Amino acid sequence: MKRTTLSLIAATAALAAVTGFAALTAPEEPAAAAAGPAPQAARLPVERTSLLCPAPTSSEVGETLTTAYTPPGTAPAAGGDGTAAKSAAVLTPAPNPGPAGGADDKKKDDKKTKEPKAPAPVTAPGKPVSTKTDGPVAHGLTGTATGALAPGWTVQQTTLVPAGSARGLLGVACSAPDTDFWFPGASTAKGRADYLHLTNPDDTLAVADIELYGPEGKLKTSIPEGVQVPPRATVPVLLGPLLAEGPQEILTAHVTTRSGRVGAVLGAAADGLGSDWLAASADPSPSAVLPGIPADATGVRLMALAPGESDANLKIQLVTPSGKIVPAAGDSLHVKAGMTASIDLPELNRGAAGSLLLTPADPKKPVPVVAALRVLRGKGATQETAFVPAAAPVTARATLADNRAQGTTLVLTAPDAAAQVKVTASAGTEGGTPATRTVDLKAGTTTVLADLAPKDVKGGFALTVETVSGGPVHGSRMLAVTEEGVPMFTIQNLVDDRGTVRVPTARQNLGVLD
């Protein structure tokens, strides 16, 4: 008998033995389950969350508050050995090796920048912690939360710059690493300084490409080989020197990675108009909601790009507390494929906070777009800037850290159908008792909530918004302070806090051994 035949017989015998053992030890399944449809995937708490924060400020007079929070109630289940996953929530500095691609045209000086102080580690869900850093900070932060502290872990970085060309209140919710980001609303105009901050959370080099799209289409840049972002480091890229064509008033920046992953956020400063962070727009979609235009906005500019090969014709509506209206300044916007379009919408709000809704002018011809707003408050020398990118809906729960008893406004919009949400204000960084309320949202309206702080709260607190029924729901939170007569403000969208993940349900199937 040939050796191959002997081997085949031996393998068959071994497989039969394994099959018999599996059949003897497998748990018995109910007949109905075996014959019925496959079980649905379950949503389970995540066991690990990563977040990345940009370098806060280069200002000598800047004050940066970093706040971290994990909402209660979604701890991962115990593992197979009956023990829970180890819990930790740690932020560490991400060194800045210097601007990429010769992009910084400022003279170097001897000013020393500080490493950002990470907040004291979150030790238990339900209590926010924060740390303040004064002066210039050139390093970003990378962070990881595990175990019971991972589901919904949120970090907010808020910087107050009371004076100088970059004065303003700058806020950003630290984001998860990704490979694709769109930033409509960038600019290289005179008096404007826009930096893309790229942060690499991993132990290997990341390489990112930056594409810039103006009103006439894609522009040639000076770094075709991409930007190298060292492991666990932050690299700022000044957009102005990247373009040979000269200053561009309106741009859309597109960041993708050819290797690795990064966190990306755009810092924008304009002489006389203040500064703020512009977070990435929601993924390209035929419809977009840009939530939370303040009631006292003195200027609103809409910027949009159609990334594909088709033009987009958009219908513009303002969703107010009483319903949808068509802005007098413009009811539509034509966006050519691959080109950045813009429209100014003066006197948009007329004293009522609202959200901008973009939908296809022809529902039968939907074209995906990305979009953002530049919003101004104040007049003349006291003008101040913030940005509102298109927001994805809150699918389950969204969390925002660093809220204050004064100057915090939550805006919730139900553009299509009525919805009910649960809003929870946490205890403060220095004490207090959480408070929860249920809010009913009428279809096609915007709801504004300003009295959010629990009565006994001390210090900053976190806000958690959960969709109970209906929807979709989009929202944002505005922080506002007044410094030397300047109405400084910053707006962060509600973004799903990634507290749970869909996990398919598996069951044994011995048929694969037949």
Side-chain angles (χ1 to χ4, degrees):
M1 188 176 294
K2 293 183 180 180
R3 179 176 298 178
T4 54
T5 305
L6 289 170
S7 299
L8 180 59
I9 292 173
T12 303
L15 182 58
V18 171
T19 303
F21 177 77
L24 289 171
T25 58
E28 184 177 347
E29 294 188 60
Q40 297 296 313
R43 295 203 69 92
L44 299 176
V46 300
E47 296 183 7
R48 182 182 178 89
T49 298
S50 296
L51 293 175
L52 307 171
C53 311
T57 181
S58 60
S59 172
E60 289 283 348
V61 295
E63 302 173 355
T64 299
L65 190 68
T66 305
T67 306
Y69 175 75
T70 295
T74 52
D81 60 356
T83 61
K86 182 179 179 181
S87 298
V90 180
L91 286 160
T92 57
N96 176 2
D104 191 353
D105 61 355
K106 296 182 180 180
K107 294 182 179 179
K108 294 183 178 180
D109 54 32
D110 295 328
K111 290 189 296 184
K112 294 182 179 179
T113 58
K114 303 176 182 178
E115 287 190 356
K117 295 179 183 177
V122 176
T123 56
K127 187 180 186 305
V129 294
S130 63
T131 296
K132 182 179 176 182
T133 305
D134 294 330
V137 182
H139 295 64
L141 293 170
T142 65
T144 301
T146 57
L149 300 178
W153 185 53
T154 301
V155 179
Q156 166 82 11
Q157 191 171 265
T158 308
T159 301
L160 174 64
V161 182
S165 59
R167 58 126 171 94
L169 185 68
L170 300 84
V172 63
C174 301
S175 60
D178 207 339
T179 59
D180 196 345
F181 307 84
W182 290 96
F183 298 95
S187 177
T188 58
K190 184 179 180 181
R192 178 85 174 250
D194 283 23
Y195 282 86
L196 270 170
H197 287 245
L198 308 176
T199 303
N200 179 4
D202 299 318
D203 294 325
T204 56
L205 179 74
V207 180
D209 289 314
I210 298 175
E211 298 174 323
L212 299 176
Y213 297 84
E216 303 299 324
K218 187 177 178 180
L219 301 168
K220 185 178 181 181
T221 66
S222 61
I223 47 173
E225 301 303 318
V227 178
Q228 294 191 356
V229 186
R232 301 192 177 278
T234 295
V235 173
V237 183
L238 182 62
L239 298 188
L242 301 185
L243 295 177
E245 288 90 344
Q248 298 283 325
E249 177 71 23
I250 302 294
L251 287 172
T252 296
H254 185 207
V255 176
T256 57
T257 60
R258 61 177 71 180
S259 65
R261 55 185 188 150
V262 297
V265 65
L266 183 87
D271 291 345
L273 295 178
S275 60
D276 206 351
W277 294 105
L278 170 59
S281 169
D283 291 339
S285 174
S287 300
V289 178
L290 301 97
I293 305 169
D296 60 351
T298 54
V300 177
R301 173 177 288 176
L302 167 65
M303 295 147 289
L305 173 84
E309 298 181 355
S310 300
D311 293 0
N313 289 301
L314 300 174
K315 179 181 179 181
I316 301 175
Q317 294 175 285
L318 182 68
V319 185
T320 73
S322 58
K324 299 176 184 177
I325 63 173
V326 176
D331 61 354
S332 64
L333 179 65
H334 179 69
V335 186
K336 294 182 179 180
M339 302 180 187
T340 301
S342 65
I343 182 174
D344 285 318
L345 301 169
E347 300 181 359
L348 175 67
N349 291 66
R350 298 182 181 275
S355 300
L356 209 65
L357 172 63
L358 306 178
T359 55
D362 183 352
K364 296 181 180 180
K365 297 180 180 179
V367 176
V369 297
V370 292
L373 300 173
R374 187 199 68 179
V375 181
L376 299 178
R377 294 176 69 218
K379 294 182 178 180
T382 64
Q383 284 185 301
E384 168 69 348
T385 300
F387 294 93
V388 181
V394 179
T395 54
R397 183 183 67 184
T399 302
L400 284 168
D402 190 16
N403 299 281
R404 293 93 184 268
Q406 302 295 326
T408 296
T409 304
L410 181 65
V411 175
L412 302 172
T413 297
D416 302 318
Q420 188 178 78
V421 298
K422 184 170 69 173
V423 180
T424 301
S426 75
T429 52
E430 300 172 18
T433 306
T436 298
R437 72 178 78 178
T438 300
V439 181
D440 292 319
L441 309 177
K442 295 181 180 180
T445 67
T446 291
T447 299
V448 181
L449 302 174
D451 55 336
L452 295 161
K455 292 182 179 180
D456 61 349
V457 72
K458 297 179 181 179
F461 60 95
L463 284 173
T464 300
V465 178
E466 298 173 80
T467 301
V468 177
S469 62
V473 175
H474 305 253
S476 67
R477 182 276 317 271
M478 182 177 78
L479 295 177
V481 300
T482 300
E483 288 283 332
E484 301 295 331
V486 179
M488 297 182 179
F489 70 119
T490 182
I491 299 171
Q492 282 75 57
N493 286 346
L494 290 173
V495 179
D496 192 273
D497 65 16
R498 309 166 306 280
T500 59
V501 64
R502 193 173 293 279
V503 178
T505 301
R507 66 186 182 193
Q508 293 171 326
N509 181 4
L510 299 179
V512 298
L513 299 176
D514 291 344

